[in-house]
């Protein structure tokens, strides 16, 4: 008897809490301005554009190499992370503007290979401040489904690099 009563009370409590939210998403759609935070995984590399005469001998004292003919230059992918803040402002029922500044930490690598010497590499530390501004266009909600389109632009500032 007590097991049935306990099961009935527990079922009523769970059923009551399951239907307590009147809005999908906890009511965030109704707020004019809301905040949050982001944690990002970053995959950083350089995009290397080679000129026609990239194989001519050169001197690079920063990696301890003078003279020689380069055979290959590449930038392998290196991991990093970012921490950010989210500010989302609702312009209308189907439009939001979002500002998500972030501080991003990553290292970038450059690998040099030469025909007559040992390979060399150079590691450059990067700490960036990103200032992205986005516009979110969203459809009306159908049950628990909504389509949306994101568009925006981002400005990044490297606060560690001297070049």
């Amino acid at each position: 008897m007590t097991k049935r009563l306990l099961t009935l009370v527990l079922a009523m409590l769970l059923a009551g809490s399951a239907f307590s939210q009147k809005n999908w998403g906890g009511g965030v759609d109704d707020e004019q301005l809301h905040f949050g935070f982001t944690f990002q995984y970053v995959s950083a590399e350089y995009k290397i554009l080679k000129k026609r005469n990239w194989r001519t001998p050169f001197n690079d004292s920063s990696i301890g190499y003078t003279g020689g003919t380069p055979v290959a230059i590449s930038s392998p992918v290196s991991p990093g992370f970012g921490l950010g803040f989210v500010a989302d402002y609702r312009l209308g029922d189907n439009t939001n503007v979002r500002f998500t500044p972030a501080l991003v930490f990553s290292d970038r690598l450059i690998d040099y290979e030469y025909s007559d010497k040992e390979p060399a590499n150079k590691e450059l530390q990067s700490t960036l401040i990103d200032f992205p501004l986005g516009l979110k266009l969203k459809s009306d909600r159908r049950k628990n489904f909504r389509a949306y389109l994101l568009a925006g632009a981002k400005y990044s500032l490297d606060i560690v690099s001297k070049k």
Side-chain angles (χ1 to χ4, degrees):
M1 178 71 181
T2 58
K3 286 184 180 180
R4 288 185 183 179
L5 183 60
L6 183 62
T7 305
L8 181 64
V9 169
L10 187 61
M12 289 175 55
L13 287 173
L14 290 175
S17 66
F19 296 106
S20 65
Q21 286 186 347
K22 295 178 184 173
N23 299 318
W24 296 99
V28 172
D29 288 345
D30 296 332
E31 295 179 19
Q32 188 74 27
L33 177 67
H34 64 274
F35 301 98
F37 67 93
T38 63
F39 181 78
Q40 307 165 6
Y41 172 78
V42 176
S43 179
E45 64 182 321
Y46 280 114
K47 181 178 179 182
I48 298 174
L49 302 174
K50 298 175 187 166
K51 295 184 179 181
R52 288 184 189 191
N53 61 349
W54 73 274
R55 290 182 184 230
T56 57
F58 71 99
N59 296 327
D60 191 351
S61 59
S62 66
I63 61 171
Y65 185 79
T66 57
T69 304
V71 176
I73 182 170
S74 62
S75 179
V77 176
S78 60
F81 71 96
L83 300 169
F85 179 74
V86 177
D88 192 286
Y89 183 75
R90 182 171 52 97
L91 296 174
D93 289 340
N94 298 73
T95 309
N96 289 28
V97 65
R98 180 176 286 190
F99 181 60
T100 55
L103 188 61
V104 178
F105 303 95
S106 66
D107 293 336
R108 296 178 189 197
L109 304 171
I110 301 175
D111 290 340
Y112 299 95
E113 291 183 33
Y114 300 98
S115 60
D116 54 347
K117 299 276 186 172
E118 290 292 318
N121 58 23
K122 185 175 184 178
E123 180 178 326
L124 301 167
Q125 294 180 348
S126 302
T127 302
L128 303 166
I129 298 178
D130 288 343
F131 298 103
L133 184 65
L135 184 67
K136 182 177 183 179
L137 302 173
K138 50 192 177 180
S139 68
D140 291 334
R141 190 177 290 279
R142 301 286 181 222
K143 295 187 180 182
N144 197 20
F145 178 80
R146 169 180 277 173
Y148 59 90
L149 175 72
L150 297 173
K154 176 178 82 168
Y155 176 76
S156 292
L157 178 66
D158 192 348
I159 59 175
V160 172
S161 178
K162 295 178 182 162
K163 293 183 180 182

